[in-house]
Amino acid sequence: MNASAEQEHEALMQFLYQAPVGLVQTSADGEITMINPMGAQLLMPLATDGQLTNLFDLLAPLAPELRGLVQASGTGTVCDALRLRVPGLADSQPEGRGRVPTTLALRLLRLGPDKLMASVNDVSQVEHEEQQRLAHRLRDASRVDALTALPNRAVAIERIEAALQATRQRQGPSFAVLFINGDRFNRINVTMGQAGGDELLRQMAARLLGLVRQGDAVASSGDGRHTPVRLSSDEFVVVMEDLQHPGDARALAARLVEVLGKPYHIGNEQVYASVSVGVALGSSTQPHGDAVLQDASLAMREAKLAGGARYRMFTTDMKERAWWRGVVEDDLRQAIATRQLFVVYQPIVDLATQQAAGMEALVRWNHPVRGLVSPVDFVPIAEESGLIGPLSAFVLRGACTQFVRWQNELGASAPGLMSVNLSRAQLADPSLVDQVAEVLRSTGMPAGRLQLEVTESLAAQDEHVQAGLRELKALGLTLALDDFGTGYSSLASLHQLPVDVVKIDRSFVSQLESSEYHRVLVQATVRVARTLGMGTVAEGVETPGQAALLAALACDKGQGYLYARPLTHEQATTWLCQPRRQAQAQGDNLPAPQRVPAPATPPSDTTTRLLELLDSSQLAVALFDPAERLAYANRSYRGLYWDRPDETPTWEDVMREAHRSQNGLRIDTDDIDAWLADVRKRYRQQALRRFESDIADGRWLRVTEETRPDGWQLCVSTDVTSLKSTEADLRRARDAALMASITDPLTELPNRRFVFGRLETLLAQAQADARPLTVVVIDLDEFKAINDQHGHAVGDQVLVGFSQRLAQSVRQRDAVGRIGGEEFLLVLTDTGREGAQRVLNALRTLFRTQTLPHLPPSVAIGFSTGIAQAHASDSTDSLWQRADQGLYRAKAGGRGNDVFVPHPAL
């Protein structure tokens, strides 16, 4: 070896000895022939005797298979990156320098028949980081909802706890929790299956995430963080941190109700689903995150009880109501088990003969401590808690048993019909039909004498409910639509409901004598019902005048206090046996439930009793002295306006506090002094003042203020939120009914009636302005063959897809609609024959180049048309009939044709 080669060899050996990688050379049987310092440092902790002589023996406790691998291998790699974990060192060493490796990576190469080379690396830190990454991934997976990819409950609690801690440091409300729950989500699961329900939840989560990410556009919360979370099933939560103003939470809640309540598209169906939202503002007094979440959940429950599709702000009295509902629920369970419930009966009278036509069975509760409990106080709780099923079953069996008894005992005086209410929970029970059949069989009740009542909002809800109603009708009983006029349906859709009797709601009957509008509504309802072969019953008849008007309007039957209040079965038997008189003379001598006379109240106790009643009243009552100081306020008023009982504020103090704290009366102004001056000038000079106002938690109040000549002022506030909600529901129902009357339900295009009305308007405008207008009648080619070969579901997809593209092909000022079957009408303003042809050519090109999704490959969409351009002498009928003649000729000539028919004068 020359000097140069020796120098190179020496340099290489120096490099190997100084390399940061352990290097070991051994013989075929593992005897170590060379080892660099790093190799010795890494392997020495494994040498119990302090000797590094044989690599296989040294690593035998960690890799006993190593010797066998070498014997079985040829030249090249024996093992690569074999992990060797050093036992007993992982958790016993301090951090920092001098730490003994806990995990080694071994690579072993066979260089020849008797020579092996091993490299050893310390991978302790790499393994530690890998374990950390794995732990993070597992932790993240445990914190994410698998269906929606939103954070889960653990994250919600974590964020709320962090916000609570920050709030305690800042002293003041600085975050809010919004609890979101789907309204009647179970209906979607039942009608569309689990897959449909899951898809709805995914779409809801996507909307929620999109809305929260745009939080700054919804609420003025600056750079505050909004965390959306899925708790479970159809429950979601939004945690709003760094909240600047409580109004921001209200704004986001209102936006959530709006956005999450818009229609969803699942498969080929459009699904409507609304949500209820509860809002709880965080405060430093709340003990933990679960408490805040519970407050928001209570507020959400109040929103549901108010009808859903709305939000509610949490107030402390909600806890009292929730506690009370829990008490009533527990007592009600006991009541069902111990027969504290009983059935009463309200007569239904034939308005023409004044004879008893039937009885409606109603449930009552005789509580051992509280006495008679109103159904208003326990039926909603029974529905909410799931007790309505056994409760309703008890009423049905008891009513049928009593009816059969009357038939056997009273003969001709017995009622001809027994009416029983159905609950939402019963209709959702798949065994309902079998239960009703069993009751009919076991009691001997003739099916034709049983009438089941279902509310309008429930009957019109969806096809699943209506299918259940049809199964009930198949038993031979009749169905009545209860409270008609307060739900979702309209006269136009009444024929779609599988009912035999329409019960007109008492809200219409009560105003018959004073409102021409309500008389017209009742008359229209009676006429439509009669045309459809349905009977009518008016609810809440209380005066002879109402009865006379109903009879004159041809309503069949009536029920109400004019004839009798709900009666026990003994009282009802007495009533049935009495001779009937004319309605004008009735109402003065009817049996009523027995009442225990109240003990006489000593005159000296009257004031005390009055104050007790006022203090427990739901009305907010206050009295101000001539200096406008608060002289008296009951608990409702103080809870609403001024919660410091030891102070006597003035009227201005109350208003300023409401403005400052954003609690109580909602005062939206930046200048409270100017607002107070304006109120004094415009309102407080009047002796009697009535107005409505919203309050900070979203409710509405009707306020009456009266100032006496001596300066004393009485203020009474009544919560009218439910009335506002009813007004909003009626407006929505009206809008929905209007839209349904002008829209084709399948394609959502305007229907025949509406598009022809638009044609009439557009034609008159074109003729007046001497502008061109062209009408096109379109018919889909081979549509019957598509239906026959692929089924009506595919046919419906074709109609919907064609309608969407047709609507997208025209301008906003044009008109398009479905006029029947596979025929459509297109009205093109400011367009002649050539322009219409260009529109049709573009539409055909679109269908040739872009097929509709989800259709079988063999389905091709083509169409033929008839075209007519308006003439100054044209009427609506003559114009569209020319276009229709053109369509007939186009069809006769084959498929895919366009035929123009000119005006006869041209």
Side-chain angles (χ1 to χ4, degrees):
M1 181 180 295
N2 58 36
S4 176
E6 289 180 359
Q7 289 176 354
E8 290 178 1
H9 178 74
E10 182 67 23
L12 176 61
M13 294 303 294
Q14 287 294 326
F15 170 75
L16 293 177
Y17 270 80
Q18 295 175 14
V21 178
L23 298 173
V24 183
Q25 181 176 297
T26 75
S27 63
D29 60 0
E31 291 297 325
I32 296 174
T33 59
M34 186 276 293
I35 185 168
N36 73 349
M38 179 56 71
Q41 179 182 335
L42 294 176
L43 294 177
M44 186 57 73
L46 303 178
T48 56
D49 57 358
Q51 300 295 318
L52 299 176
T53 56
N54 188 291
L55 182 65
F56 297 161
D57 293 341
L58 189 67
L59 299 180
L62 307 182
E65 74 279 10
L66 194 58
R67 193 184 299 271
L69 289 175
V70 171
Q71 294 173 354
S73 68
T75 303
T77 302
V78 176
C79 64
D80 190 10
L82 178 65
R83 292 287 176 96
L84 307 173
R85 184 167 176 79
V86 181
L89 295 177
D91 302 318
S92 60
Q93 301 183 82
E95 296 289 341
R97 301 186 63 178
R99 180 180 175 93
V100 177
T102 60
T103 305
L104 302 176
L106 174 70
R107 185 169 188 242
L108 186 61
L109 300 174
R110 180 185 283 276
L111 301 180
D114 194 43
K115 183 181 293 186
L116 302 173
M117 178 62 73
S119 65
V120 183
N121 289 289
D122 179 5
V123 293
S124 304
Q125 183 63 30
V126 173
E127 184 175 74
H128 177 67
E129 292 173 356
E130 289 177 350
Q131 290 174 345
Q132 283 189 323
R133 284 195 295 271
L134 178 60
H136 282 307
R137 285 197 296 270
L138 292 173
R139 179 175 179 271
D140 290 342
S142 69
R143 291 159 56 83
V144 175
D145 175 61
L147 178 64
T148 64
L150 290 179
N152 61 16
R153 182 186 181 92
V155 178
I157 297 299
E158 178 183 291
R159 298 311 313 153
I160 296 172
E161 292 287 0
L164 262 177
Q165 184 62 31
T167 298
R168 294 187 182 108
Q169 295 171 0
R170 284 193 292 266
Q171 293 300 313
S174 59
F175 76 97
V177 175
L178 286 71
F179 197 112
I180 307 157
N181 185 254
D183 297 327
R184 297 181 292 277
F185 173 73
N186 186 57
R187 174 172 58 88
I188 306 296
N189 265 343
V190 171
T191 57
M192 304 193 70
Q194 186 70 39
D198 287 350
E199 177 59 24
L200 175 62
L201 290 174
R202 280 190 287 267
Q203 292 188 28
M204 290 179 71
R207 290 188 189 182
L208 178 61
L209 189 60
L211 183 61
V212 167
R213 281 176 174 169
Q214 301 166 8
D216 292 344
V218 177
S220 58
S221 52
D223 59 355
R225 290 173 295 173
H226 300 346
T227 305
V229 170
R230 183 189 180 210
L231 289 188
S232 62
S233 185
D234 57 336
E235 293 182 340
F236 299 86
V237 159
V238 175
V239 182
M240 297 180 68
E241 299 179 62
D242 299 324
L243 189 67
Q244 300 300 313
H245 193 281
D248 294 344
R250 285 194 295 269
L252 180 56
R255 187 80 175 122
L256 285 168
V257 171
E258 176 190 357
V259 172
L260 297 180
K262 291 181 178 179
Y264 297 83
H265 292 277
I266 299 178
N268 296 318
E269 295 189 41
Q270 183 168 276
V271 176
Y272 291 86
S274 60
V275 298
S276 298
V277 180
V279 184
L281 300 177
S283 75
S284 58
T285 60
Q286 290 161 314
H288 47 72
D290 277 321
V292 186
L293 199 60
Q294 179 65 22
D295 290 348
S297 176
L298 287 176
M300 179 277 295
R301 183 62 57 189
E302 293 278 339
K304 278 191 175 294
L305 292 175
R310 68 200 69 211
Y311 76 91
R312 285 288 182 269
M313 303 293 293
F314 172 76
T315 57
T316 54
D317 60 339
M318 289 180 181
K319 287 188 176 180
E320 296 179 7
R321 288 197 292 271
W323 173 82
W324 177 246
R325 286 196 296 269
V327 170
V328 173
E329 180 182 339
D330 292 342
D331 287 355
L332 188 55
R333 292 182 188 277
Q334 186 70 16
I336 294 173
T338 58
R339 294 193 170 275
Q340 298 172 21
L341 302 174
F342 63 99
V343 181
V344 295
Y345 304 90
Q346 186 169 36
I348 301 172
V349 174
D350 188 306
L351 291 173
T353 65
Q354 297 301 310
Q355 299 303 309
M359 289 282 184
E360 180 178 358
L362 304 166
V363 67
R364 294 294 184 265
W365 180 9
N366 187 17
H367 193 279
V369 176
R370 296 193 294 272
L372 287 178
V373 181
S374 169
V376 175
D377 294 330
F378 70 86
V379 169
I381 295 175
E383 292 177 337
E384 183 182 354
S385 63
L387 293 174
I388 194 67
L391 188 151
S392 301
F394 165 79
V395 175
L396 177 64
R397 184 172 297 277
C400 290
T401 301
Q402 184 59 50
F403 181 88
V404 172
R405 184 179 295 122
W406 276 330
Q407 290 288 316
N408 294 334
E409 295 176 357
L410 302 183
S413 297
L417 192 74
M418 178 60 73
S419 194
V420 181
N421 290 284
L422 276 181
S423 67
R424 183 187 307 276
Q426 284 179 292
L427 276 176
D429 187 348
S431 65
L432 173 63
V433 176
D434 293 337
Q435 292 176 18
V436 174
E438 192 280 326
V439 170
L440 293 174
R441 183 170 53 253
S442 61
T443 61
M445 175 80 174
R449 300 297 187 92
L450 177 61
Q451 176 174 282
L452 298 179
E453 297 187 12
V454 59
T455 62
E456 177 191 359
S457 57
L458 188 56
Q461 195 174 92
D462 55 40
E463 181 58 34
H464 176 74
V465 169
Q466 294 179 23
L469 295 176
R470 293 187 186 97
E471 290 183 29
L472 286 171
K473 284 191 68 172
L475 296 176
L477 51 79
T478 58
L479 295 175
L481 191 64
D482 199 12
D483 302 332
F484 183 76
T486 63
Y488 303 118
S489 60
S490 66
L491 290 175
S493 60
L494 190 56
H495 69 283
Q496 300 173 356
L497 304 179
V499 297
D500 308 284
V501 176
V502 176
K503 299 193 74 173
I504 303 169
D505 187 67
R506 64 183 66 248
S507 61
F508 294 97
V509 175
S510 64
Q511 302 188 61
L512 274 179
E513 296 177 277
S514 59
S515 170
E516 177 66 24
Y517 170 74
H518 287 83
R519 287 196 291 274
V520 171
L521 283 178
V522 171
Q523 184 179 38
T525 302
V526 170
R527 287 181 175 178
V528 171
R530 181 159 294 185
T531 301
L532 297 174
M534 300 176 182
T536 49
V537 178
E539 299 180 289
V541 183
E542 297 186 354
T543 69
Q546 292 170 358
L549 282 170
L550 288 165
L553 295 174
C555 182
D556 298 320
K557 302 170 185 175
Q559 69 180 103
Y561 287 179
L562 175 66
Y563 306 107
R565 295 174 180 270
L567 310 169
T568 63
H569 67 86
E570 296 92 348
Q571 294 167 340
T573 301
T574 302
W575 188 91
L576 287 166
C577 294
Q578 288 180 342
R580 303 272 73 79
R581 296 176 288 167
Q582 291 300 311
Q584 287 82 353
Q586 290 187 4
D588 56 342
N589 193 28
L590 297 176
Q594 298 296 315
R595 297 183 179 182
V596 178
T601 303
S604 59
D605 292 342
T606 301
T607 302
T608 301
R609 178 64 59 87
L610 176 59
L611 289 174
E612 289 175 353
L613 292 174
L614 281 175
D615 202 50
S616 61
S617 174
Q618 295 296 313
L619 300 176
V621 181
L623 185 66
F624 291 86
D625 66 15
E628 292 192 335
R629 289 189 300 271
L630 185 62
Y632 167 81
N634 68 353
R635 280 186 293 180
S636 294
Y637 186 95
R638 288 190 176 275
L640 187 61
Y641 293 104
W642 193 271
D643 58 359
R644 303 192 287 274
D646 297 329
E647 300 178 10
T648 55
T650 65
W651 173 81
E652 277 200 9
D653 292 335
V654 173
M655 296 299 104
R656 289 182 185 277
E657 176 63 13
H659 177 260
R660 185 196 65 78
S661 65
Q662 292 295 306
N663 189 33
L665 194 68
R666 185 171 181 177
I667 303 176
D668 292 325
T669 181
D670 294 328
D671 189 348
I672 185 61
D673 293 321
W675 184 88
L676 288 169
D678 184 64
V679 170
R680 286 192 179 280
K681 178 180 178 181
R682 297 176 57 189
Y683 299 108
R684 293 186 65 79
Q685 303 302 321
Q686 305 170 28
L688 183 62
R689 306 173 293 280
R690 293 190 180 95
F691 57 92
E692 290 184 355
S693 179
D694 57 334
I695 53 179
D697 63 4
R699 290 179 293 161
W700 275 83
L701 294 180
R702 179 169 294 153
V703 181
T704 301
E705 295 178 346
E706 183 176 6
T707 303
R708 292 173 52 84
D710 58 7
W712 285 84
Q713 174 188 306
L714 178 66
C715 178
V716 180
S717 301
T718 308
D719 189 338
V720 294
T721 307
S722 60
L723 299 180
K724 287 289 179 181
S725 301
T726 301
E727 291 174 6
D729 290 341
L730 289 174
R731 283 195 298 271
R732 283 195 294 270
R734 178 201 62 195
D735 294 341
L738 176 61
M739 185 58 66
S741 70
I742 65 174
T743 304
D744 173 60
L746 175 63
T747 65
E748 297 185 358
L749 288 180
N751 59 17
R752 181 187 184 95
R753 170 188 168 193
F754 183 80
V755 75
F756 273 96
R758 285 287 294 153
L759 172 58
E760 183 176 5
T761 300
L762 295 175
L763 177 61
Q765 292 174 353
Q767 291 172 334
D769 299 335
R771 291 178 175 274
L773 180 141
T774 300
V775 169
V776 183
V777 179
I778 305 173
D779 185 86
L780 297 184
D781 295 334
E782 305 293 346
F783 183 74
K784 185 177 185 301
I786 293 174
N787 265 341
D788 292 342
Q789 294 175 18
H790 302 283
H792 288 283
V794 173
D796 287 348
Q797 288 180 343
V798 169
L799 289 173
V800 172
F802 181 81
S803 300
Q804 292 172 346
R805 290 191 175 176
L806 178 61
Q808 294 166 1
S809 301
V810 300
R811 301 160 299 185
Q812 187 173 2
R813 64 177 182 268
D814 299 328
V816 63
R818 183 186 180 199
I819 58 177
E822 63 272 25
E823 287 192 357
F824 301 82
L825 183 68
L826 180 60
V827 184
L828 300 171
T829 60
D830 296 324
T831 304
R833 174 184 177 181
E834 294 78 12
Q837 193 65 62
R838 285 194 295 271
V839 171
L840 296 174
N841 291 341
L843 189 60
R844 284 197 176 92
T845 301
L846 181 63
F847 279 105
R848 280 198 303 269
T849 58
Q850 299 180 25
T851 58
L852 289 175
H854 310 303
L855 287 181
S858 60
V859 175
I861 299 179
F863 57 88
S864 302
T865 72
I867 308 170
Q869 185 171 337
H871 186 270
S873 63
D874 264 328
S875 66
T876 302
D877 288 340
S878 66
L879 177 59
W880 96 267
Q881 285 172 6
R882 283 208 317 281
D884 194 53
Q885 291 170 10
L887 177 62
Y888 180 81
R889 297 175 190 174
K891 285 287 191 182
R895 298 292 181 264
N897 294 324
D898 303 319
V899 175
F900 176 79
V901 179
H903 190 274
L906 300 177

